[in-house]
PDB file of all heavy atoms in Angstrom:
ATOM      1  N   ASP A 123     -77.551  13.871 -52.971  1.00 94.00           N
ATOM      2  CA  ASP A 123     -78.329  14.584 -51.957  1.00 94.00           C
ATOM      3  C   ASP A 123     -79.797  14.189 -52.058  1.00 94.00           C
ATOM      4  O   ASP A 123     -80.332  14.328 -53.232  1.00 94.00           O
ATOM      5  CB  ASP A 123     -78.083  16.117 -52.100  1.00 94.00           C
ATOM      6  CG  ASP A 123     -78.823  16.861 -51.000  1.00 94.00           C
ATOM      7  OD1 ASP A 123     -78.833  16.388 -49.894  1.00 94.00           O
ATOM      8  OD2 ASP A 123     -79.316  17.967 -51.311  1.00 94.00           O
ATOM      9  N   SER A 124     -80.341  13.714 -50.995  1.00 95.00           N
ATOM     10  CA  SER A 124     -81.735  13.322 -51.053  1.00 95.00           C
ATOM     11  C   SER A 124     -82.326  13.327 -49.652  1.00 95.00           C
ATOM     12  O   SER A 124     -81.638  13.375 -48.684  1.00 95.00           O
ATOM     13  CB  SER A 124     -81.770  11.801 -51.589  1.00 95.00           C
ATOM     14  OG  SER A 124     -81.175  10.908 -50.623  1.00 95.00           O
ATOM     15  N   ALA A 125     -83.661  13.286 -49.623  1.00 94.00           N
ATOM     16  CA  ALA A 125     -84.362  13.219 -48.323  1.00 94.00           C
ATOM     17  C   ALA A 125     -84.000  11.985 -47.548  1.00 94.00           C
ATOM     18  O   ALA A 125     -83.876  12.032 -46.331  1.00 94.00           O
ATOM     19  CB  ALA A 125     -85.868  13.327 -48.586  1.00 94.00           C
ATOM     20  N   ALA A 126     -83.829  10.852 -48.238  1.00 94.00           N
ATOM     21  CA  ALA A 126     -83.463   9.598 -47.533  1.00 94.00           C
ATOM     22  C   ALA A 126     -82.096   9.715 -46.933  1.00 94.00           C
ATOM     23  O   ALA A 126     -81.844   9.257 -45.836  1.00 94.00           O
ATOM     24  CB  ALA A 126     -83.455   8.478 -48.585  1.00 94.00           C
ATOM     25  N   ARG A 127     -81.107  10.320 -47.639  1.00 95.00           N
ATOM     26  CA  ARG A 127     -79.824  10.468 -47.115  1.00 95.00           C
ATOM     27  C   ARG A 127     -79.874  11.431 -45.905  1.00 95.00           C
ATOM     28  O   ARG A 127     -79.248  11.148 -44.887  1.00 95.00           O
ATOM     29  CB  ARG A 127     -78.868  11.066 -48.146  1.00 95.00           C
ATOM     30  CG  ARG A 127     -77.437  11.217 -47.698  1.00 95.00           C
ATOM     31  CD  ARG A 127     -76.590  11.784 -48.759  1.00 95.00           C
ATOM     32  NE  ARG A 127     -75.151  11.828 -48.321  1.00 95.00           N
ATOM     33  CZ  ARG A 127     -74.165  12.369 -49.085  1.00 95.00           C
ATOM     34  NH1 ARG A 127     -74.428  12.781 -50.276  1.00 95.00           N
ATOM     35  NH2 ARG A 127     -72.938  12.365 -48.623  1.00 95.00           N
ATOM     36  N   ARG A 128     -80.554  12.539 -45.974  1.00 95.00           N
ATOM     37  CA  ARG A 128     -80.609  13.424 -44.838  1.00 95.00           C
ATOM     38  C   ARG A 128     -81.274  12.770 -43.647  1.00 95.00           C
ATOM     39  O   ARG A 128     -80.883  13.019 -42.501  1.00 95.00           O
ATOM     40  CB  ARG A 128     -81.423  14.711 -45.222  1.00 95.00           C
ATOM     41  CG  ARG A 128     -80.615  15.542 -46.224  1.00 95.00           C
ATOM     42  CD  ARG A 128     -81.275  16.989 -46.416  1.00 95.00           C
ATOM     43  NE  ARG A 128     -82.566  16.834 -47.082  1.00 95.00           N
ATOM     44  CZ  ARG A 128     -82.720  16.827 -48.388  1.00 95.00           C
ATOM     45  NH1 ARG A 128     -81.656  16.950 -49.208  1.00 95.00           N
ATOM     46  NH2 ARG A 128     -83.928  16.730 -48.988  1.00 95.00           N
ATOM     47  N   GLU A 129     -82.322  11.952 -43.848  1.00 96.00           N
ATOM     48  CA  GLU A 129     -82.985  11.281 -42.788  1.00 96.00           C
ATOM     49  C   GLU A 129     -82.060  10.311 -42.108  1.00 96.00           C
ATOM     50  O   GLU A 129     -81.959  10.207 -40.861  1.00 96.00           O
ATOM     51  CB  GLU A 129     -84.212  10.519 -43.347  1.00 96.00           C
ATOM     52  CG  GLU A 129     -84.976   9.763 -42.223  1.00 96.00           C
ATOM     53  CD  GLU A 129     -86.146   9.041 -42.768  1.00 96.00           C
ATOM     54  OE1 GLU A 129     -86.893   9.562 -43.690  1.00 96.00           O
ATOM     55  OE2 GLU A 129     -86.457   7.869 -42.295  1.00 96.00           O
ATOM     56  N   ALA A 130     -81.205   9.567 -42.868  1.00 96.00           N
ATOM     57  CA  ALA A 130     -80.263   8.658 -42.363  1.00 96.00           C
ATOM     58  C   ALA A 130     -79.167   9.425 -41.515  1.00 96.00           C
ATOM     59  O   ALA A 130     -78.746   8.998 -40.459  1.00 96.00           O
ATOM     60  CB  ALA A 130     -79.618   7.788 -43.438  1.00 96.00           C
ATOM     61  N   GLU A 131     -78.758  10.553 -42.115  1.00 95.00           N
ATOM     62  CA  GLU A 131     -77.728  11.317 -41.445  1.00 95.00           C
ATOM     63  C   GLU A 131     -78.258  11.957 -40.094  1.00 95.00           C
ATOM     64  O   GLU A 131     -77.590  11.999 -39.103  1.00 95.00           O
ATOM     65  CB  GLU A 131     -77.297  12.531 -42.326  1.00 95.00           C
ATOM     66  CG  GLU A 131     -76.431  12.036 -43.446  1.00 95.00           C
ATOM     67  CD  GLU A 131     -76.105  13.127 -44.428  1.00 95.00           C
ATOM     68  OE1 GLU A 131     -76.763  14.207 -44.399  1.00 95.00           O
ATOM     69  OE2 GLU A 131     -75.104  12.966 -45.246  1.00 95.00           O
ATOM     70  N   GLU A 132     -79.560  12.296 -40.064  1.00 96.00           N
ATOM     71  CA  GLU A 132     -80.192  12.757 -38.843  1.00 96.00           C
ATOM     72  C   GLU A 132     -80.143  11.613 -37.737  1.00 96.00           C
ATOM     73  O   GLU A 132     -79.878  11.959 -36.572  1.00 96.00           O
ATOM     74  CB  GLU A 132     -81.601  13.264 -39.102  1.00 96.00           C
ATOM     75  CG  GLU A 132     -81.639  14.655 -39.826  1.00 96.00           C
ATOM     76  CD  GLU A 132     -83.068  14.930 -40.192  1.00 96.00           C
ATOM     77  OE1 GLU A 132     -84.006  14.266 -39.726  1.00 96.00           O
ATOM     78  OE2 GLU A 132     -83.201  15.865 -40.987  1.00 96.00           O
TER      79      GLU A 132
END
Side-chain angles (χ1 to χ4, degrees):
D123 185 33
S124 65
R127 182 182 185 181
R128 289 190 293 274
E129 182 181 320
E131 287 174 345
E132 285 173 10

